[in-house]
Amino acid sequence: MAERLYPHLNTPIYIGRFNYGHDAKHFSEEFVQRYGAVHGVYLPFLSDQYKTPWKRGNDFFEHTRAEYLGTQFFNYIAQFMKQGNPNFDAEETPWQAWVPDNQYELISDGDRNRGYVKAGVNQFSYDDLFVQYEAEKSVSKEHKSIIASRVLNGRWFGREWDAHYGNPPDPVLR
């Protein structure tokens, strides 16, 4: 999306990724399998909702690492809303603007002991996505075909997806 927007905007683009919850070494295997770094996992961190766990009996939000991520994320977003730049005086990691030559992103994550925010460079590639999707063993080939053709088809992010899986292109996104 940033690649498509960049030529048309006269303002910086800031990309962020929440990985919090994706690694079974730091969370229970059951939790990672059931939830992982779910879509929208960052939403509770925009307020103090991270203090109210989704599921009793796990420490996903009931830990100082979640409090750290919540405070940091809230501060970045609040500063961005006030000044148009997410960086603030007490941050440990500056959030650099995304540009085509340096696709910076801010990565929020945590391990068993702490939450952390780090700078990274977007390494996303559709080729890697296709390899990972096709190698996934927890979903049958039949279900993957349904997902590819009926669930993820025609999405704003999916031009490359649709081309790869032979879905008709969305007429609005051509």
Side-chain angles (χ1 to χ4, degrees):
M1 192 64 164
E3 289 173 354
R4 292 182 186 156
L5 287 174
Y6 186 81
H8 308 287
L9 297 176
N10 291 329
T11 188
I13 297 173
Y14 295 95
I15 304 291
R17 179 166 33 117
F18 248 80
N19 284 349
Y20 189 65
H22 77 288
D23 193 336
K25 291 183 297 194
H26 308 302
F27 301 93
S28 73
E29 182 69 34
E30 174 193 1
F31 186 87
V32 171
Q33 289 297 317
R34 180 171 285 170
Y35 303 107
V38 297
H39 177 75
V41 71
Y42 65 92
L43 291 172
F45 293 97
L46 287 172
S47 68
D48 64 355
Q49 287 182 10
Y50 65 87
K51 295 176 184 175
T52 306
W54 288 354
K55 176 182 164 192
R56 297 279 179 221
N58 71 62
D59 67 349
F60 188 71
F61 292 115
E62 298 172 334
H63 197 281
T64 56
R65 61 186 174 212
E67 185 173 344
Y68 172 81
L69 289 175
T71 300
Q72 290 296 102
F73 190 56
F74 186 85
N75 287 338
Y76 282 115
I77 299 302
Q79 183 63 21
F80 179 77
M81 292 174 73
K82 290 178 198 170
Q83 303 292 327
N85 180 325
N87 297 298
F88 56 96
D89 292 341
E91 91 226 49
E92 295 177 23
T93 304
W95 193 343
Q96 299 178 49
W98 182 98
V99 293
D101 293 340
N102 292 302
Q103 299 182 4
Y104 296 112
E105 63 183 357
L106 190 73
I107 302 165
S108 299
D109 204 345
D111 59 29
R112 286 204 180 274
N113 301 311
R114 65 186 181 87
Y116 57 87
V117 178
K118 65 181 182 178
V121 176
N122 184 349
Q123 301 294 318
F124 174 82
S125 89
Y126 280 98
D127 291 336
D128 291 344
L129 174 68
F130 301 141
V131 167
Q132 289 175 18
Y133 183 73
E134 290 161 11
E136 177 58 47
K137 301 291 185 216
S138 67
V139 179
S140 71
K141 278 184 137 179
E142 178 185 357
H143 285 121
K144 285 182 194 176
S145 177
I146 292 168
I147 291 167
S149 65
R150 297 184 194 164
V151 177
L152 295 176
N153 63 313
R155 303 296 176 115
W156 63 267
F157 56 81
R159 183 179 301 166
E160 293 82 354
W161 178 274
D162 288 337
H164 182 81
Y165 288 103
N167 297 328
D170 184 320
V172 175
L173 298 176
R174 284 187 198 175

